[in-house]
Amino acid sequence: MSWLTVFDNYDNPHELPHIRDFFPESPHGAILITSRHADSLQLSTDSVSGSIEVPGLAEHDAIVLLSVALGLRDQDHDEARNIVHRLGLHPLAITQAAAYIRKRKLPLSEFLEHYRKRKSAILNHTPSISQYTKRLSKANTEIAYNVFTTWELSFQQLEDEYGEDCIETKLLTLLAFFDHKDIPESFLATVVGVSSNENLSNKTKALVGWLDHFTGANDNWSKDIFEDKVFALKDLSLLQTCIKLADDSYHLSLHPLIKDVLRNAGVNDYYIMPSSSQLAMIPHVRIQEENLQEYFSGHKVGFDIKPSYKDYLKMHSCFDTFDIQVGTYNLSHCLQALLLFQEILGQEHMFTCQAMGLLAATYRKQGNYDQAQILEEQVLELYQKNPDSTHLDKIRVTGNLAATYRCQGKHTQAQELKEQVLRCHQEMSGLKHPNTLRAMANLAVTYCDQGKYTQAQELEEQVLHCFQEVFGLEYPKILRAKENLAFTYYIQGKYNEAWELEEQTLGLSQKLLGARHPDTLRAIGILASTYYRLGQKARAISMMTEASNQLTETLGAMHPDVVACRRELTSWVRYETADAETETPDSE
């Protein structure tokens, strides 16, 4: 008679190294071992045909699993497909999501937005009656499996093998802050020597200074050390793929749920590429875009059956957003993207709306507020009519239009829209969510514009306190929070309080954004104004001259910020010259 013996969850071979002692010796049966650990392959008599790698579910099977669990109809197929792919085709995650949707009686169309806001609650959700249990450590009683606990097993094993706070754990956490599908080794290799780089903030050094462990004898990137750490993660199934290309470089990918687990499991640090690195990437990104334009030239017919075109259009949006973030404000590029979207997708498509919004933002950054207003009002109208747009999309576009109204001096209209945006974010996300805090800060600016300084100061102090409490002292959004509060102090004549915040803002801006970023240059001009009010006039004139010259190079001579700097600088110089002439004694 044939037999089958199953060793399930043999995830830590080091805890049971003599497992072969338990193998039956009869030749009439089979042994099945399930494991996350690559060392278990050594137990197979044939390492090739004797092992089967179990990937995620096939798309069809994943959709069927969700459909059966929720009793979905055929018309729900597209929503179901989006959900299972967002969950990485992971059967346990799909089962948990279905249980969560049933319990909450959540419409299927709202799940992804709900998941975006409440990943931790959903991935930790375990049905009351669960057939999957596991003991997480020798001291723990058995608990029911959920997505968090399944990955926690591997994280715990990683620490057991390599120690707490090991380089392998740090590397995995850092990878979770990249796009999960393709992370090139070169992204990490360029950061070698970060600990001794004087241009980086202490926060950045603390976050990624450990990458210096990957340096060899000549302080160069060591592929051998990197391989050791990568294969340690691969052995525990913590990397989804690890591919070595012809140029000898590795490209890694994570399961999307590992990203979600890591970023929701008490990881409060953030990882931001330095501004200098972002700017250095621009020429290479532009060349790739030109290559694609040449490749697709003359092939616009049949767009609907060419998914690569859609990737190309998405890429345009990414470039536009990147331009705005690094302060290059490439108007011609935004126009080109919008015209392409309109031609291929039509005026009301979501991609077209996004391209219009990015073009409007670029107009606003360049000081062309009237053009920005026209586009943003069109975008808001299109979003309100488009059934595919989310509530968050509409709030975001409303906030952008309010910002343009404020730049135009239409403070009443700006206040109405900003109060509306703040209410929506408070209802959706709570008082300490970044979206709520940004909305609060934006409203405070408009209060200040209207002379409502007490209300503005109260909001801005609340925003700054919450940002520091939740995200730490060097969170990028603190730059704007400090700048806004400093201006409110300044306009009320509280120059010493303003000076203290402005010094902090400039130092942080130089660290996070770089010395030539427009926001850093504006911070120099703002601090110069306060120095002038405090009587340090020579220093103020020198700083304002520096800010004015560099902003002119970056934004152009006609940009409103440049015009404002030069106007104030001219008035100072004229006043100081007249004052000096008055004090000159008469010649005898």
Side-chain angles (χ1 to χ4, degrees):
M1 183 169 64
S2 299
W3 52 265
L4 172 67
T5 299
V6 179
F7 294 86
D8 194 19
N9 293 324
Y10 184 57
D11 296 329
N12 195 341
H14 302 288
E15 289 186 352
L16 190 59
H18 305 297
I19 190 174
R20 284 190 175 91
D21 294 344
F22 298 93
F23 288 3
E25 296 183 357
S26 169
H28 303 297
I31 299 173
L32 174 64
I33 301 172
T34 67
S35 175
R36 296 169 177 268
H37 203 294
D39 285 355
S40 62
L41 293 173
Q42 300 174 20
L43 299 172
S44 174
T45 55
D46 186 335
S47 60
V48 179
S49 62
S51 64
I52 302 173
E53 184 173 349
V54 182
L57 293 173
E59 179 187 285
H60 172 75
D61 296 334
I63 292 174
V64 169
L65 177 61
L66 184 66
S67 299
V68 170
L70 295 177
L72 301 181
R73 302 160 298 176
D74 290 343
Q75 54 263 45
D76 296 322
H77 181 275
D78 288 343
E79 292 285 359
R81 180 180 182 277
N82 292 335
I83 290 172
V84 300
H85 275 284
R86 178 61 185 84
L87 298 174
L89 303 174
H90 192 291
L92 181 57
I94 295 170
T95 302
Q96 280 182 232
Y100 190 88
I101 291 170
R102 281 198 309 270
K103 184 174 182 179
R104 295 267 177 159
K105 296 182 173 57
L106 197 66
L108 201 66
S109 60
E110 296 180 12
F111 175 77
L112 289 179
E113 177 67 17
H114 202 74
Y115 180 78
R116 187 189 63 78
K117 294 186 294 184
R118 308 197 70 235
K119 293 185 185 75
S120 181
I122 294 171
L123 296 179
N124 264 312
H125 178 72
T126 306
S128 300
I129 302 175
S130 176
Q131 58 182 312
Y132 305 109
T133 60
K134 178 72 176 182
R135 188 187 303 273
L136 289 185
S137 69
K138 295 177 181 178
N140 290 338
T141 57
E142 285 195 342
I143 66 170
Y145 260 148
N146 58 46
V147 172
F148 264 28
T149 56
T150 59
W151 293 120
E152 188 178 343
L153 293 170
S154 294
F155 300 152
Q156 178 181 302
Q157 190 173 345
L158 188 66
E159 292 187 348
D160 290 344
E161 291 192 22
Y162 299 100
E164 292 186 10
D165 202 33
C166 58
I167 298 300
E168 289 81 0
T169 300
K170 291 178 181 291
L171 175 60
L172 185 66
T173 303
L174 176 59
L175 295 178
F177 286 81
F178 289 90
D179 182 79
H180 70 93
K181 294 185 289 297
D182 182 11
I183 308 169
E185 176 188 349
S186 59
F187 275 11
L188 307 177
T190 56
V191 194
V192 167
V194 65
S195 298
S196 58
N197 190 333
E198 297 179 355
N199 295 321
L200 297 178
S201 68
N202 291 331
K203 177 72 171 179
T204 300
K205 291 179 181 179
L207 288 174
V208 294
W210 54 267
L211 282 171
D212 287 352
H213 286 280
F214 292 104
T215 56
N218 298 322
D219 290 334
N220 294 322
W221 179 258
S222 171
K223 184 170 291 292
D224 291 337
I225 298 175
F226 181 68
E227 282 183 343
D228 290 342
K229 306 305 180 186
V230 164
F231 283 114
L233 299 178
K234 181 65 175 172
D235 285 348
L236 295 173
S237 302
L238 290 169
L239 293 179
Q240 191 166 38
T241 62
C242 176
I243 301 171
K244 193 173 187 179
L245 301 184
D247 64 357
D248 203 37
S249 69
Y250 282 98
H251 283 241
L252 315 176
S253 72
L254 295 177
H255 192 285
L257 291 182
I258 289 189
K259 282 174 57 70
D260 294 337
V261 170
L262 285 169
R263 297 183 70 162
N264 285 278
V267 179
N268 295 318
D269 291 331
Y270 58 87
Y271 296 86
I272 297 176
M273 186 179 292
S275 176
S276 57
S277 300
Q278 295 182 40
L279 290 169
M281 290 174 62
I282 291 178
H284 304 288
V285 172
R286 292 283 175 262
I287 291 297
Q288 297 308 310
E289 184 193 9
E290 290 175 11
N291 293 344
L292 279 171
Q293 286 174 338
E294 291 179 12
Y295 178 78
F296 288 127
S297 177
H299 296 85
K300 294 177 183 177
V301 177
F303 166 78
D304 289 336
I305 61 172
K306 291 183 179 291
S308 55
Y309 271 113
K310 294 184 180 179
D311 294 337
Y312 173 56
L313 297 180
K314 287 180 183 178
M315 183 188 68
H316 263 295
S317 291
C318 292
F319 288 160
D320 295 340
T321 304
F322 184 76
D323 283 328
I324 291 173
Q325 288 175 344
V326 301
T328 53
Y329 314 141
N330 192 320
L331 182 61
S332 62
H333 183 268
C334 292
L335 280 168
Q336 182 184 21
L338 177 57
L339 292 173
L340 190 62
F341 287 173
Q342 290 173 331
E343 178 183 353
I344 297 176
L345 296 175
Q347 180 70 18
E348 297 185 0
H349 193 278
M350 289 295 293
F351 283 172
T352 307
C353 293
Q354 292 169 13
M356 290 176 67
L358 288 167
L359 177 59
T362 304
Y363 274 132
R364 187 181 343 111
K365 292 289 185 179
Q366 292 188 330
N368 194 338
Y369 305 131
D370 292 339
Q371 283 294 331
Q373 178 192 337
I374 292 170
L375 281 175
E376 284 166 345
E377 288 176 344
Q378 292 177 15
V379 172
L380 182 57
E381 183 180 354
L382 289 170
Y383 269 117
Q384 289 172 337
K385 293 192 302 183
N386 194 322
D388 294 330
S389 65
T390 66
H391 189 47
L392 198 60
D393 288 330
K394 297 169 187 174
I395 296 173
R396 176 175 49 79
V397 174
T398 301
N400 291 340
L401 179 57
T404 299
Y405 281 154
R406 185 245 169 182
C407 291
Q408 293 173 303
K410 300 177 180 179
H411 302 307
T412 302
Q413 296 98 312
Q415 178 183 332
E416 291 174 358
L417 291 184
K418 289 182 179 182
E419 288 176 342
Q420 176 185 337
V421 168
L422 177 57
R423 285 194 300 271
C424 290
H425 280 308
Q426 286 174 330
E427 293 171 3
M428 291 177 59
S429 309
L431 290 175
K432 291 189 177 182
H433 191 277
N435 289 341
T436 306
L437 296 176
R438 280 193 289 270
M440 196 180 296
N442 291 337
L443 178 58
V445 170
T446 297
Y447 282 155
C448 196
D449 291 336
Q450 296 172 304
K452 302 174 182 179
Y453 302 127
T454 301
Q455 293 167 269
Q457 182 177 325
E458 289 175 358
L459 281 180
E460 288 164 349
E461 288 175 342
Q462 183 179 348
V463 168
L464 181 57
H465 173 74
C466 288
F467 269 137
Q468 291 176 331
E469 178 185 348
V470 177
F471 299 105
L473 297 178
E474 292 192 355
Y475 182 62
K477 298 300 179 184
I478 286 178
L479 286 171
R480 184 55 56 86
K482 285 187 174 183
E483 183 181 302
N484 291 344
L485 179 55
F487 178 77
T488 302
Y489 285 150
Y490 177 91
I491 206 71
Q492 295 178 89
K494 301 176 181 179
Y495 300 126
N496 286 317
E497 291 91 334
W499 166 79
E500 183 178 353
L501 280 179
E502 288 163 1
E503 286 274 12
Q504 296 172 16
T505 300
L506 177 57
L508 187 57
S509 185
Q510 288 170 333
K511 289 180 181 179
L512 297 180
L513 302 178
R516 294 184 63 82
H517 191 282
D519 288 349
T520 303
L521 301 177
R522 292 187 187 98
I524 294 174
I526 291 168
L527 180 58
S529 296
T530 303
Y531 274 132
Y532 191 84
R533 291 291 184 179
L534 290 171
Q536 300 185 37
K537 298 181 178 180
R539 184 174 187 178
I541 290 174
S542 174
M543 291 179 67
M544 188 64 81
T545 302
E546 175 191 355
S548 175
N549 291 340
Q550 293 193 32
L551 277 172
T552 301
E553 292 179 16
T554 305
L555 302 176
M558 300 308 295
H559 190 279
D561 289 344
V562 177
V563 173
C565 280
R566 289 190 168 176
R567 182 187 301 118
E568 187 156 13
L569 180 60
T570 300
S571 68
W572 292 351
V573 172
R574 184 178 298 155
Y575 181 83
E576 293 304 309
T577 302
D579 196 39
E581 290 175 353
T582 301
E583 294 176 0
T584 302
D586 295 334
S587 58
E588 295 182 1

